[in-house]
Amino acid sequence: MPPRVLDLGSDQETHLICLIEPGDQHERYIALSYPWGGTSFIKTVRDTLERHKQGIRFDDLPRTFQDAIRICRFLGVRYLWIDALCIIQDDTDDWKEHSRSMGEIYRQSFLTISAVFNTSPHSGLFSEPQVRRVGPVMVFKTQHPFDATKDEQISRGFPLLTRGWTFQERMLSARTLHFSQQEVLWDCMDTLTCQCGSFDPSRGISHLESLRNQTSDVFFRKRFLKMDENDRVVSVTSDRGGTEILFGRYDLPAEEFITSTKEFSELWCQIASRFSALELTYKSDKLAAIAGLADKIEQVTKWTYCVGLWADTLLTDLCWIPGVRESSLQTCQRLPWSTWWKEIPPFWDWNSIAHDDLPFIPPSWSWVSIDGPVWWPQERFSPSSDMQQDILLATVLGSQTQVFPETLDYSRPPIRSRYLELNVQHISLFLEPQHRKRDVMLGKLRNFSDCKMAVVEEGYDLWDGVAAPVYLLPLVVTHTFDLDNPQKEGIANMFTLLVTGRAEGSHWLVRIGMVQTQNSVDKRGRLRFPRKSLAALALRGKQAIVTLI
């Protein structure tokens, strides 16, 4: 059980709800997933902790909490976990301890109650059905998350699905009851169904995938994140001929258990893409809000987690792209570094703070530093009819978290971040310092005929006014060949970082963009470059050892 739970009592009519610390006690409990909504409602703080242990009056709870208690009692489950009451809200240490185990709290719950249409805890779980009469016939209006075609439909009808913290709650819960405005939906390891019966699980997950957009991710979960009793991941072929990655108990032959590094990498990229499009009240919660999913992947793969990416597939993981997929040339915003200082009192003496207590700033090479959605190009994961080969153009020499002394001018506080040291085969000059402007960069990129996609990232408040060149740093070339037509020329997609320095000549580099080039490959595996080729320019660079922060 979690460190604290609500004891609802053995009597159905008990009106005092007690906050308890069960210790090693093993009992069923239910977890509640709901939005806070920026409204005022009862919470546990240091001043009310002992009072809540003595008992909380049922009538003092918001409607959603009351309805969850009624459901628990109806199901005969005595214990309920609600974050606002079970975590001490003004105790940073208590919050950090619980945030690390949040994924396990939902994974081990007997059931998760999901207030999917709530905008606050005062909304309640139950609502009047929307009925329209057509002559003698009563028509009940229903809408499913997987039928929504636009993000605003999800936001309006299922606002909980837009929240970042609830993503891993859905992904890791074994059983979930979603209370929508029109009906109840059931989602477990084996099936998905709804109260109206209009969704047919026999039509398969591929049908569900084709209906859902990126934000409507409520059912992107257990089918992709299941384990058998030996913690092995299972591969099951879907209707569309691809592979679904599952975590669950299935009686499948040993040869169907996944061993492919690329499949695991693709799974994590899908998870990170969907999560990154969701909303967080505090942007600095990004790493904490996905930690439970990272722990699960780490448990299965034995990989090393590295600020939202994986050390074992780091070069290909670095090929993330911010923004929207439809645009070939665009800019996007990074989170300002001040976002990550929200819990640090301004009057602290920075000289006296222990290094571990300094704010951790996600490095520029991690997607966590971006304010908005990110994605990985589909060219990174070839269809089953193609053969794909990755050619790595760099080697990871090391990665470590440290305090960066370059900021110790005390006009800003020192920070902790993680550097990445690479031995790159090519690094070439792209722009001189005086031309390092967004419009100039995008304008120059447009002139290259093999530039398929480019993003320039803005918002480095620490690097404002820096005069340093911009370099091209190629990471990976992905060759794709059609197995059904061996005589056909192949395609080479190269993924190249745009990087710049703290100052001219600085050995610290930051990522400020990503470029994807696409060229044909002849039968001998040689790239064919057009007359104005960005890939050719990038590959003319020299070998070097660089450090990204």
Side-chain angles (χ1 to χ4, degrees):
M1 295 180 74
R4 297 186 198 92
V5 291
L6 297 171
D7 185 350
L8 310 183
S10 56
D11 187 348
Q12 293 281 344
E13 300 302 320
T14 300
H15 288 276
L16 274 183
I17 313 300
C18 296
L19 183 64
I20 66 168
E21 297 176 353
D24 295 331
Q25 187 177 344
H26 295 280
E27 298 287 347
R28 282 181 173 179
Y29 67 91
I30 287 176
L32 178 64
S33 178
Y34 67 100
W36 282 37
T39 59
S40 176
F41 61 96
I42 187 171
K43 305 177 185 71
T44 295
V45 294
R46 279 175 286 198
D47 288 344
T48 62
L49 176 62
E50 293 305 319
R51 192 188 319 153
H52 287 179
K53 288 181 179 180
Q54 296 170 12
I56 305 169
R57 292 178 65 251
F58 182 84
D59 292 340
D60 290 340
L61 298 170
R63 280 182 57 199
T64 300
F65 294 6
Q66 293 179 358
D67 289 344
I69 291 171
R70 292 187 180 102
I71 293 169
C72 289
R73 287 173 171 169
F74 179 81
L75 295 175
V77 178
R78 179 169 176 168
Y79 302 101
L80 174 64
W81 189 87
I82 302 176
D83 59 354
L85 296 175
C86 296
I87 301 174
I88 305 172
Q89 298 301 317
D90 59 351
D91 187 325
T92 302
D93 292 336
D94 193 66
W95 184 89
K96 287 180 179 178
E97 179 184 347
H98 280 81
S99 67
R100 284 193 293 266
S101 60
M102 197 78 75
E104 281 299 290
I105 289 173
Y106 282 92
R107 192 180 74 84
Q108 294 181 14
S109 66
F110 172 68
L111 172 71
T112 294
I113 296 172
S114 172
V116 75
F117 82 92
N118 278 197
T119 55
S120 80
H122 300 290
S123 303
L125 295 175
F126 304 103
S127 61
E128 291 294 324
Q130 300 181 35
V131 182
R132 184 165 59 93
R133 285 190 175 275
V134 182
V137 179
M138 293 178 63
V139 179
F140 290 83
K141 178 184 178 181
T142 61
Q143 182 186 10
H144 300 109
F146 42 80
D147 289 330
T149 57
K150 296 181 180 180
D151 288 356
E152 56 264 28
Q153 291 178 332
I154 295 296
S155 180
R156 185 173 61 251
F158 310 93
L160 189 69
L161 305 189
T162 66
R163 306 304 303 173
W165 270 106
T166 64
F167 179 75
Q168 70 173 1
E169 297 169 9
R170 294 190 298 277
M171 291 278 281
L172 295 173
S173 298
R175 308 167 194 87
T176 305
L177 266 178
H178 299 281
F179 286 82
S180 75
Q181 198 161 12
Q182 294 90 23
E183 61 175 349
V184 177
L185 299 95
W186 171 258
D187 186 18
C188 71
M189 293 293 187
D190 297 315
T191 192
L192 161 67
T193 189
C194 58
Q195 194 173 350
C196 70
S198 63
F199 175 68
D200 181 5
S202 65
R203 297 175 70 183
I205 299 304
S206 59
H207 165 68
L208 189 63
E209 281 288 295
S210 68
L211 291 173
R212 191 185 61 243
N213 63 21
Q214 186 175 19
T215 305
S216 177
D217 55 53
V218 63
F219 301 112
F220 173 81
R221 27 168 282 109
K222 302 176 220 339
R223 260 63 64 178
F224 298 81
L225 279 179
K226 289 192 178 180
M227 258 182 257
D228 77 336
E229 60 273 15
N230 297 314
D231 285 348
R232 293 183 299 181
V233 176
V234 183
S235 172
V236 180
T237 303
S238 72
D239 297 339
R240 60 187 175 193
T243 298
E244 308 291 2
I245 298 177
L246 311 174
F247 281 62
R249 291 173 172 79
Y250 287 86
D251 184 19
L252 293 179
E255 61 267 19
E256 293 197 43
F257 286 94
I258 282 179
T259 56
S260 166
T261 298
K262 177 156 283 192
E263 284 181 299
F264 278 115
S265 179
E266 181 178 9
L267 168 63
W268 180 254
C269 292
Q270 290 175 329
I271 289 172
S273 292
R274 282 166 168 79
F275 171 77
S276 68
L278 303 178
E279 300 169 7
L280 289 165
T281 302
Y282 299 105
K283 301 295 186 180
S284 56
D285 287 350
K286 266 193 170 184
L287 288 171
I290 202 173
L293 289 169
D295 289 344
K296 185 57 61 180
I297 297 293
E298 189 173 32
Q299 176 187 345
V300 178
T301 61
K302 311 304 179 189
W303 288 354
T304 301
Y305 192 51
C306 192
V307 200
L309 306 175
W310 297 95
D312 305 72
T313 55
L314 195 51
L315 284 180
T316 53
D317 285 0
L318 289 171
C319 299
W320 53 267
I321 299 169
V324 294
R325 292 176 183 266
E326 290 77 13
S327 179
S328 58
L329 292 170
Q330 61 180 305
T331 61
C332 75
Q333 289 295 317
R334 288 189 171 271
L335 290 170
W337 285 31
S338 55
T339 297
W340 310 89
W341 300 333
K342 70 179 180 67
E343 296 176 355
I344 306 298
F347 51 80
W348 276 16
D349 178 2
W350 297 105
N351 285 309
S352 63
I353 299 177
H355 285 180
D356 289 345
D357 292 330
L358 289 171
F360 178 81
I361 310 297
S364 66
W365 45 266
S366 171
W367 60 270
V368 181
S369 64
I370 289 293
D371 185 13
V374 300
W375 52 283
W376 279 258
Q378 284 301 310
E379 290 84 358
R380 292 286 312 114
F381 311 104
S382 69
S384 57
S385 61
D386 293 342
M387 182 183 74
Q388 190 177 79
Q389 178 186 14
D390 285 338
I391 301 174
L392 304 182
L393 302 179
T395 305
V396 178
L397 300 179
S399 179
Q400 186 174 333
T401 301
Q402 72 169 56
V403 175
F404 284 91
E406 285 195 327
T407 64
L408 292 180
D409 58 2
Y410 302 109
S411 61
R412 295 178 182 269
I415 54 94
R416 286 184 308 127
S417 193
R418 193 175 183 102
Y419 72 78
L420 180 63
E421 190 173 37
L422 300 175
N423 184 352
V424 299
Q425 295 181 21
H426 313 276
I427 182 169
S428 57
L429 178 67
F430 181 62
L431 281 176
E432 295 289 356
Q434 64 270 26
H435 301 304
R436 201 195 74 171
K437 296 179 181 179
R438 177 195 62 185
D439 294 340
V440 174
M441 274 193 272
L442 290 177
K444 186 170 181 179
L445 289 167
R446 288 190 185 96
N447 293 329
F448 295 99
S449 56
D450 60 351
C451 180
K452 181 180 180 181
M453 183 284 310
V455 177
V456 175
E457 297 147 12
E458 300 179 303
Y460 277 114
D461 49 356
L462 189 66
W463 307 88
D464 286 347
V466 170
V470 176
Y471 299 97
L472 298 170
L473 200 160
L475 294 175
V476 183
V477 178
T478 300
H479 285 189
T480 305
F481 302 91
D482 190 343
L483 293 178
D484 297 332
N485 187 2
Q487 302 302 316
K488 185 179 178 181
E489 286 189 341
I491 299 294
N493 287 280
M494 188 167 78
F495 302 93
T496 299
L497 291 181
L498 291 170
V499 298
T500 191
R502 174 69 179 90
E504 191 164 6
S506 172
H507 65 290
W508 300 116
L509 298 176
V510 293
R511 167 181 162 146
I512 58 168
M514 167 62 73
V515 177
Q516 178 185 353
T517 54
Q518 190 172 87
N519 295 277
S520 60
V521 183
D522 65 21
K523 298 175 185 178
R524 298 182 182 180
R526 296 175 300 189
L527 273 69
R528 292 185 173 180
F529 299 118
R531 188 171 61 88
K532 294 207 69 173
S533 169
L534 185 63
L537 173 63
L539 292 174
R540 284 201 293 268
K542 61 182 181 180
Q543 183 272 339
I545 294 176
V546 300
T547 304
L548 297 177
I549 62 170

